[in-house]
Amino acid sequence: KAKCWAYEEEWRVMMKEGNKSFQAPSAVLSVIFGARMPESDRVLIARALRHEEGIQFKEAILKEGQFVVEVVDA
């Protein structure tokens, strides 16, 4: 993520290889699924975090005809 967005205090994790662990730098508070993210990937992430309490799941929605992304509860 670009430094100019640092105020969002957001971490992004993207991996193409499975079966690897990643230690988050702090507690995961929410997960925002990308607008074009495959449903199968969403399910895998939700299952991996199902035992964690208090995580909010959200999704990015592209607004048709606009250069806007809306984030809504998943």
Side-chain angles (χ1 to χ4, degrees), residues 11-68:
W11 288 87
R12 292 185 181 187
V13 178
M14 294 174 270
M15 296 181 185
K16 288 199 175 253
E17 298 178 36
N19 298 324
K20 289 192 175 185
S21 296
F22 176 82
Q23 179 63 46
S26 64
V28 175
L29 303 176
S30 67
V31 174
I32 302 173
F33 298 118
R36 296 186 180 112
M37 184 177 196
E39 182 64 26
S40 59
D41 291 345
R42 293 175 189 225
V43 169
L44 285 173
I45 291 169
R47 283 184 183 161
L49 297 173
R50 71 179 174 263
H51 298 296
E52 302 293 326
E53 292 186 28
I55 296 178
Q56 296 179 7
F57 291 96
K58 301 176 183 241
E59 64 180 314
I61 307 276
L62 299 174
K63 300 293 274 184
E64 192 169 331
Q66 301 176 39
F67 189 64
V68 175

